[in-house]
Amino acid sequence: MKHFTNVRDIGDLHAALQEAFDIKKDRFRYHELGKNKTLMMVFFNSSLRTRLSTQKAAMNLGMNVIVLDVNQGAWKLETERGVVMDGDKSEHLLEAIPVMGCYCDLIGVRSFASFESREYDYNETVLSQFMKYSGRPVFSMEAATRHPLQSFADLITIEEHKKTPRPKVVLTWAPHPKALPQAVPNSFAEWMNAADYDFVITHPEGYELAPEFVGNARVEYDQRKAFEGADFIYAKNWAAYAEPNYGKVIHRDRAWTVDAEKMALTNDAYFMHCLPVRRNMIVTDEVIESPRSLVIPEAANREISAQVVIKRLLESLP
Ligand code: CP
């Protein structure tokens, strides 16, 4: 694996899952693989789970880890070429990226959608520059359009809990006070389509995801109907994708909050969310605290998904 930015990079899902379950049984088995190798984790945005789980995964593989918070202590970075840099940005990514590449063997990057331009975000402008100019294998720790380490962890979690080979999985929009990127729902949809589950996406009109991510999913605008017979409910907020509302909150309808009454429509479904979650906006206390909530196992599996990816990138180094 040269880089890891989407589901295609992981190849055969069955093989990836088997590798994940093997690593989960003995996460220190490959401790020699990363000896004297350095992972650099570059954060343009905040994180709790990704930072901790990815660092832990690299340490399990015997790696050294450097963490750079771009917005705390580093020079402010310009990302667009051709800009006259007479403002507050002291360094350009085009120098900063190859410099970072000098100090490490692998690079993980977190760079969210800016919501300034759909084209800029959906071209993955920042992540692409890291792949082009660092000279190192790069993996996404959530980029503008996808969060593949999260989706891989979600897939592992579903496989561990499903009772039927092809469960009904429902991705539901839920309200949130701020505009959030589409990276998690896009990526979740991409991985659920690749897994060939019975996959349904439900959201209010106006929150349609990009068609390339919806893929073969059924879109249902009636949330209650979508929940009927579901085995897994995956809640997430996202801002509008369609122009002219790209990146905007078009409503915050609290009627879409996941509650116990809606969960009762399902096939005793598990509740999932990537975290962090706004309680009693996205989901009620009762549902997230219920025995059917998988939010902690999902977070725990972030260490495993990261370890599979970093292991494969290490194995591909020359
Ligand atoms: N789910 C997730 O990526 O969490 P963080 O934003 O805390 O890393």
Side-chain angles (χ1 to χ4, degrees):
M1 186 160 54
K2 190 165 162 37
H3 300 292
F4 175 74
T5 66
N6 62 57
V7 72
R8 288 180 299 282
D9 293 329
I10 203 81
D12 178 64
L13 277 190
H14 181 75
L17 284 165
Q18 196 50 56
E19 201 169 332
F21 297 136
D22 289 345
I23 283 174
K24 204 163 177 177
K25 278 189 212 129
D26 179 6
R27 56 194 80 195
F28 303 108
R29 185 166 159 203
Y30 301 100
H31 194 259
E32 288 299 305
L33 188 63
K35 193 176 170 192
N36 296 333
K37 297 277 189 280
T38 299
L39 167 65
M40 182 173 293
M41 295 163 59
V42 183
F43 287 92
F44 289 82
N45 310 94
S46 304
S47 168
L48 187 152
R49 279 143 292 274
T50 304
R51 174 184 297 250
L52 298 179
S53 61
T54 309
Q55 183 160 357
K56 176 67 163 57
M59 284 159 40
N60 293 349
L61 291 162
M63 296 188 82
N64 302 309
V65 181
I66 301 172
V67 181
L68 178 67
D69 288 300
V70 172
N71 297 319
Q72 289 171 19
W75 302 113
K76 272 196 153 186
L77 294 176
E78 177 57 61
T79 58
E80 297 219 52
R81 196 167 171 277
V83 171
V84 177
M85 290 174 59
D86 60 355
D88 62 342
K89 293 177 178 164
S90 307
E91 178 153 24
H92 203 288
L93 261 190
L94 292 175
E95 285 79 52
I97 291 173
V99 167
M100 292 181 212
C102 295
Y103 307 139
C104 64
D105 300 280
L106 306 179
I107 303 185
V109 181
R110 166 163 283 202
S111 174
F112 290 175
S114 66
F115 283 157
E116 281 166 24
S117 145
R118 190 170 88 173
E119 190 188 354
Y120 180 89
D121 291 340
Y122 273 69
N123 282 339
E124 288 290 6
T125 308
V126 174
L127 187 67
S128 305
Q129 292 191 77
F130 272 89
M131 290 195 282
K132 197 166 170 189
Y133 298 115
S134 70
R136 302 294 176 201
V138 171
F139 63 94
S140 165
M141 299 195 299
E142 185 170 345
T145 63
R146 294 176 176 87
H147 192 357
L149 287 176
Q150 179 65 52
S151 308
F152 186 16
D154 295 333
L155 178 68
I156 294 166
T157 311
I158 292 172
E159 285 292 309
E160 287 175 328
H161 290 85
K162 73 180 189 183
K163 298 285 182 296
T164 57
R166 197 165 179 268
K168 179 176 177 182
V169 178
V170 177
L171 167 63
T172 181
W173 182 93
H176 192 281
K178 291 164 66 178
L180 298 187
Q182 296 101 26
V184 169
N186 282 347
S187 202
F188 186 73
E190 191 171 66
W191 286 69
M192 293 303 103
N193 278 314
D196 194 29
Y197 295 147
D198 177 9
F199 182 46
V200 177
I201 304 175
T202 184
H203 54 73
E205 288 195 33
Y207 281 106
E208 290 77 11
L209 295 170
E212 65 264 33
F213 291 105
V214 174
N216 296 326
R218 283 179 284 131
V219 176
E220 171 59 65
Y221 292 103
D222 182 336
Q223 191 189 33
R224 287 167 191 279
K225 203 166 156 199
F227 274 41
E228 285 171 11
D231 299 299
F232 293 88
I233 298 294
Y234 194 100
K236 187 71 185 82
N237 172 268
W238 61 89
Y241 167 76
E243 298 288 17
N245 289 324
Y246 176 69
K248 295 199 172 87
V249 176
I250 48 182
H251 69 72
R252 299 179 177 85
D253 189 352
R254 293 276 302 282
W256 281 75
T257 300
V258 177
D259 60 17
E261 186 251 320
K262 282 181 211 156
M263 290 300 285
L265 300 169
T266 69
N267 181 28
D268 197 18
Y270 287 104
F271 173 80
M272 300 179 74
H273 188 280
C274 63
L275 304 181
V277 70
R278 299 261 184 159
R279 282 179 175 226
N280 303 308
M281 287 291 295
I282 300 277
V283 58
T284 61
D285 292 326
E286 188 181 4
V287 170
I288 198 167
E289 291 171 4
S290 83
R292 305 301 281 176
S293 172
L294 294 179
V295 296
I296 306 304
E298 284 175 85
N301 279 329
R302 289 293 307 275
E303 179 184 341
I304 306 303
S305 64
Q307 197 166 330
V308 172
V309 168
I310 295 170
K311 173 178 170 283
R312 287 187 176 194
L313 291 171
L314 285 172
E315 287 168 342
S316 300
L317 287 176

